[in-house]
Amino acid sequence: MKAIIFSAHSDDFVIGAGGYMALHPKQTHCVVFSLGEMSHPWLKPEEIKKIRRNEMFQAAKILRSTVTPYDLNESNFLNENESLVQESIEWIEKHKPTRVFTHSSEDPHPDHRAVHETTMEIVSKLSYQIEVYTYSIWNPTEFNQQYPALYIDIKQTYQRKVKSMKAFPSQKVAIYTLAILIMYRALSAGLRSRYWLAEKFYRIL
Ligand SMILES: [Zn+2]
């Protein structure tokens, strides 16, 4: 197993690391903290969770990855993450991935930062040294620049990443807004790395 990816919401893993995931079929596993019940206040939480759960599994299938969703309440991850922490440690110790991907500590979204904090707690309790990388969601600019960057060539998998983003019709507004940013980031990382289209991660540990 190559990597485990921690994702605050049901679509973050696609946005942050979808190209990488598609590049390594059956070698990545995602942990989703919340199904994002607050995204559609006019729908019943159970209804939106069901929709987002199905979309999430569909996206993971397109990326040929597995995913375990949790049902933590948004804005309250740090108080509810106990079993997620324990089960993730067990999963990692069993499958021994070499890399962890998570949100940046400087992400403007507090849930994303809470995932970062939880990831660092998990990593600190492992029996072996694992590489830790951060990915970006909402920030157009770069942070964590003091850390070494990892560029992944996603020329071959960019279309699959886009296809998996389209598996989230309920998130259409956010994802279509992000699509331009995602394209911009892929191109600028591609330019920097000379891969043409790339995903960029910072190795923080
Ligand atoms: Zn998110």
Side-chain angles (χ1 to χ4, degrees), residues 30-54:
C30 301
V31 173
V32 169
F33 280 52
S34 163
L35 293 164
E37 72 281 0
M38 269 146 63
S39 69
H40 294 61
W42 59 92
L43 287 178
K44 287 196 187 119
E46 284 317 311
E47 216 166 304
I48 183 61
K49 279 189 212 172
K50 196 173 146 203
I51 293 170
R52 293 194 68 171
R53 180 188 293 267
N54 289 337

Side-chain angles (χ1 to χ4, degrees), residues 12 23 62 71-72 76 88 91 107 146 160 194-195:
D12 290 328
L23 207 55
I62 293 168
D71 196 9
L72 309 194
N76 201 31
S88 296
W91 192 94
D107 193 294
Q146 71 274 31
R160 193 172 275 273
R194 304 181 184 220
Y195 287 143

Side-chain angles (χ1 to χ4, degrees), residues 9-29:
H9 305 105
S10 58
D11 48 358
D12 290 328
F13 65 88
V14 178
I15 297 161
Y20 176 90
M21 292 167 67
L23 207 55
H24 302 287
K26 297 182 182 162
Q27 293 292 310
T28 58
H29 176 69

Side-chain angles (χ1 to χ4, degrees), residues 14 16-24 63 152-154 157-158 161 199:
V14 178
Y20 176 90
M21 292 167 67
L23 207 55
H24 302 287
L63 298 172
I152 301 291
D153 181 356
I154 60 164
T157 57
Y158 188 74
K161 174 171 177 163
E199 273 173 351

Side-chain angles (χ1 to χ4, degrees), residues 98-117:
T98 51
R99 288 171 169 169
V100 171
F101 292 88
T102 190
H103 292 277
S104 168
S105 62
E106 295 169 43
D107 193 294
H109 196 310
D111 281 347
H112 294 180
R113 291 200 302 274
V115 169
H116 178 91
E117 205 173 308

